[in-house]
Amino acid sequence: MTQSATLTGKCFCGAVHYAVADEFAYALNCHCSNCRRTTGAAFKPVAGIPRDKLLVTRGADQLLIYGEPMGNDQHCRQCGSLLYSVVRNGAFVHVAMGTLVDAPSIRPAVHIFVGSKAPWFTSPTICRNTRPYSGGAMISRVCGR
């Protein structure tokens, strides 16, 4: 049996880093109101994995835990980034996929709780510009608008 890759992730300011096995059981985009509020986005892309497959490698003392031991959101207390949520009675974590530094082998396969989606969210037109973000670019320059 081959060993899976280990992926890294971190918060926006870099105070908290984690390692997680590339063995996600599922990945999805959640539109529930709790996920929208904790991320400030239309939906939260998450990848689910048993809790023991994720290890905080730096800044564990910088985690801000909101919720109960068996169900919570774990943010960086410095920058506020949501790193992961403890779910399923503490057995799994939902890694916030936007915090992964390395690309996982799994991709979100489904949108859930779309009945709770933000009323302003519709499937947007995709901008033709595929360059990576380099900071400071205006949307009009990036998408030609």
Side-chain angles (χ1 to χ4, degrees):
M1 179 177 270
T2 62
Q3 188 173 2
S4 68
T6 298
L7 307 174
T8 59
K10 64 180 182 174
C11 65
F12 179 67
C13 73
V16 180
H17 289 232
Y18 66 86
V20 63
D22 191 12
E23 299 173 9
F24 295 106
Y26 52 88
L28 50 89
N29 294 313
C30 184
H31 290 262
C32 82
S33 60
N34 288 338
C35 285
R36 288 189 290 112
R37 285 185 183 97
T38 196
T39 62
F43 55 87
K44 177 174 131 181
V46 300
I49 193 164
R51 190 175 184 177
D52 65 353
K53 301 284 185 173
L54 183 141
L55 174 68
V56 175
T57 57
R58 185 165 104 192
D61 62 333
Q62 294 302 307
L63 285 172
L64 171 70
I65 301 170
Y66 182 79
E68 302 298 322
M70 296 301 173
N72 60 63
D73 291 327
Q74 303 214 7
H75 299 259
C76 170
R77 76 172 55 251
Q78 297 299 315
C79 67
S81 293
L82 172 65
L83 297 159
Y84 57 91
S85 301
V86 175
V87 298
R88 297 172 63 178
N89 203 29
F92 268 65
V93 292
H94 280 174
V95 174
M97 294 182 78
T99 65
L100 287 166
V101 173
D102 305 308
S105 58
I106 197 168
R107 302 292 183 264
V110 66
H111 288 258
I112 64 169
F113 299 119
V114 293
S116 299
K117 78 172 188 62
W120 49 262
F121 178 75
T122 58
S123 184
T125 301
I126 302 297
C127 174
R128 293 190 189 278
N129 185 329
T130 58
R131 291 177 297 171
Y133 178 72
S134 60
M138 299 288 289
I139 192 72
S140 60
R141 290 192 309 233
V142 173
C143 292
R145 295 183 191 160

